[in-house]
Amino acid sequence: MPAGPAGAGRRHGRVLALTAVAAVLAAAPVTVSAEAAHTPPRTGFESSGGARWTGPAEERLLLAAVDRHGDRVSVERIGTTKQGRPLRLVRIGSRRPAALTVLLVCSQHGDEPAGREACLTTIRDLAFAEDRETRELLSRTEILFVPTANPDGRAADTRGNSDGADINRDHLALRTAEGRAIAAVVRDHRPEVIDDLHEYGATPPYYDKDLTVLWPRSLDADARVRDESELLAERHVRPAARDAGYDSGLYGVWTDPVTGSPVRQTAGDGQERILRNAAGIKHAVGLLVESRADPLTDAERADPALNARRRVRSQIVALRAVFAYVAQRRGEIGAATVRARTAGFTEGGPVYLGGADNEPAGSGGVLAHPPCGYRLTAAQFAGIGDELALHGVTSRPDGDGVYVPLAQSARKLVPILLDAKAAYHLTNGQADTAC
């Protein structure tokens, strides 16, 4: 934050804005009966005024209530964790083929609960909404939620799942039940927009924004999709955050507190196994949103519930900005994602095994002339065939093995999974260069 009286005034104004937001949340009406057919249920977080996070039984009751409310919502089980907890998908809105699909993945890291609370609240609000604007959005959009993407980690308040695995580093290998469930949703529903909700710890004064955002930086994300993703982050979510009284920045980028110029980058690269980048490579407009978890003010340090409410509210603001973006740029989003999905059948060009949109890949990180495809032995395919299928990668029998062509929608994903030079490849495929 800027030093001196002007900076102090801005900080004071922002604290007043945040306090006002917290007061609105605290004053929300109390539901008499969550079982009443037309009475919106409340989360455990809301009922406690932010003093505790919503428990699994409370989540189950809330989702059952919205599922019963009408045909606008459906809830289905898409997997089971190692400890036996359900992984659920909530579908809200239009099922028409022409509908644009948005996927919200909530709290992959179990010790980052604010995104999950924002998703649960938003599910309820969308399910019971009667206003014209929301009804119009839902008439042309299907909104998917994985409301608790890491149930075992949430129960233990740990970043990883019950095996200690970081789910957000498993979107290539798909070794976790959680990662596999998310991949299946992306494959089967083909969302045009994917929003990944997280939290982060600040490092004042260089990295202490209320909300940080980022788009897919992988160079293998189609440029048109990446441009839409950056526009979503910079022209929609960040301005909405500022309008709501929150300051915002880029995830992983430290800035000078006086000039606002970048100082260093500590995260937010083009690593393909992270959902933000995997989304772009799979032709979806991608967004990462991170709310600041540690206390912002002395009042938040004294009252953890105030801190929790601010974190959740900032995530809700970001979600609403995503919905506004979808409503405003539906045509542009559809055009960008359709072109990206079909380009792999007809377009050539390099495949990148490193780098990012702000970092050159280097000579060793580029397949300037990618092969026509990769041959796998029967044993190799037996080991990774399920993962290829979950990624939506197509293959065909080839003698005693399998051939995976590059000429497919997942063209740039294939070398990432099968080329020996790729950092997180699943197996060493035999490159076919006889094009």
Side-chain angles (χ1 to χ4, degrees):
M1 288 296 134
R10 282 191 289 274
R11 167 63 73 176
H12 179 66
R14 186 158 62 87
V15 170
L16 289 176
L18 294 176
T19 302
V21 166
V24 170
L25 289 174
V30 176
T31 299
V32 175
S33 171
E35 298 299 319
H38 300 290
T39 303
R42 304 188 78 204
T43 66
F45 178 83
E46 291 172 311
S47 297
S48 69
R52 60 178 179 80
W53 306 109
T54 301
E58 292 169 320
E59 175 183 333
R60 185 174 64 253
L61 290 173
L62 182 139
L63 295 183
V66 299
D67 197 12
R68 288 193 303 270
H69 181 61
D71 58 7
R72 182 185 295 180
V73 183
S74 68
V75 181
E76 60 189 88
R77 189 167 183 153
I78 56 172
T80 304
T81 69
K82 185 176 181 180
Q83 294 184 343
R85 295 184 174 89
L87 291 158
R88 296 186 180 95
L89 178 69
V90 181
R91 304 175 64 182
I92 305 179
S94 176
R95 303 291 180 88
R96 295 183 301 137
L100 191 143
T101 301
V102 179
L103 170 63
L104 294 309
V105 179
C106 315
S107 299
Q108 289 192 76
H109 296 145
D111 58 354
E112 300 172 7
R116 170 178 176 261
E117 296 294 343
C119 286
L120 291 173
T121 299
T122 302
I123 288 168
R124 186 269 320 283
D125 291 347
L126 292 174
F128 283 81
E130 296 298 336
D131 63 283
R132 183 188 60 80
E133 185 177 359
T134 302
R135 292 175 69 89
E136 171 65 17
L137 173 71
L138 295 179
S139 73
R140 306 175 65 192
T141 312
E142 182 173 35
I143 304 177
L144 311 177
F145 292 83
V146 181
T148 305
N150 183 3
D152 292 352
R154 175 80 290 271
D157 196 28
T158 57
R159 178 180 176 88
N161 66 5
S162 55
D163 285 328
D166 187 334
I167 297 165
N168 202 30
R169 303 297 184 274
D170 189 43
H171 294 291
L172 290 182
L174 304 182
R175 295 189 179 95
T176 66
E178 298 88 351
R180 294 172 76 85
I182 294 168
V185 170
V186 174
R187 177 197 62 192
D188 296 343
H189 295 274
R190 303 182 73 195
E192 282 83 6
V193 179
I194 298 177
D195 184 3
D196 187 19
L197 287 68
H198 288 262
E199 297 196 80
Y200 84 104
T203 308
Y206 301 104
Y207 192 49
D208 59 354
K209 304 300 185 184
D210 304 334
L211 201 74
T212 62
V213 300
L214 201 60
W215 52 89
R217 290 201 125 150
S218 169
L219 295 172
D220 289 310
D222 183 273
R224 293 157 290 205
V225 167
R226 195 167 60 242
D227 288 347
E228 276 295 322
S229 302
E230 184 175 357
L231 186 147
L232 167 59
E234 293 280 36
R235 300 291 181 88
H236 291 264
V237 176
R238 293 189 67 190
R242 288 193 294 270
D243 290 346
Y246 305 107
D247 58 14
S248 69
L250 297 186
Y251 174 72
V253 178
W254 291 22
T255 58
D256 184 287
V258 176
T259 66
S261 300
V263 173
R264 59 182 293 207
Q265 183 173 331
T266 60
D269 57 17
Q271 190 180 134
E272 303 94 348
R273 61 180 180 166
I274 295 171
L275 181 58
R276 166 178 55 86
N277 287 310
I281 296 169
K282 293 183 177 183
H283 316 311
V285 174
L287 177 69
L288 169 73
V289 174
E290 303 247 359
S291 50
R292 175 178 170 171
D294 47 314
L296 179 66
T297 63
D298 288 341
E300 287 191 3
R301 279 183 279 275
D303 182 0
L306 181 62
N307 164 265
R309 292 198 299 269
R310 186 260 307 165
R311 292 154 59 184
V312 173
R313 178 59 187 172
S314 67
Q315 291 278 3
I316 292 173
V317 167
L319 284 176
R320 290 177 178 171
V322 171
F323 299 154
Y325 160 79
V326 168
Q328 293 172 20
R329 292 189 61 82
R330 182 179 306 276
E332 292 85 352
I333 297 166
T337 54
V338 166
R339 287 196 297 266
R341 289 168 178 173
T342 58
F345 293 99
T346 58
E347 294 183 6
V351 173
Y352 297 93
L353 304 179
D357 64 1
N358 63 343
E359 178 187 4
S363 58
V366 183
L367 294 178
H369 303 286
C372 312
Y374 293 85
R375 289 188 172 86
L376 305 179
T377 67
Q380 285 177 312
F381 187 71
I384 67 164
D386 286 347
E387 287 69 33
L388 293 180
L390 283 167
H391 282 302
V393 172
T394 62
S395 60
R396 62 175 183 263
D398 182 57
D400 293 334
V402 167
Y403 187 77
V404 184
L406 254 66
Q408 59 177 293
S409 183
R411 176 181 180 269
K412 292 192 174 182
L413 181 60
V414 171
I416 291 170
L417 299 174
L418 301 180
D419 199 287
K421 301 185 193 71
Y424 304 105
H425 62 279
L426 304 185
T427 191
N428 295 338
Q430 179 186 352
D432 172 24
T433 59
C435 300

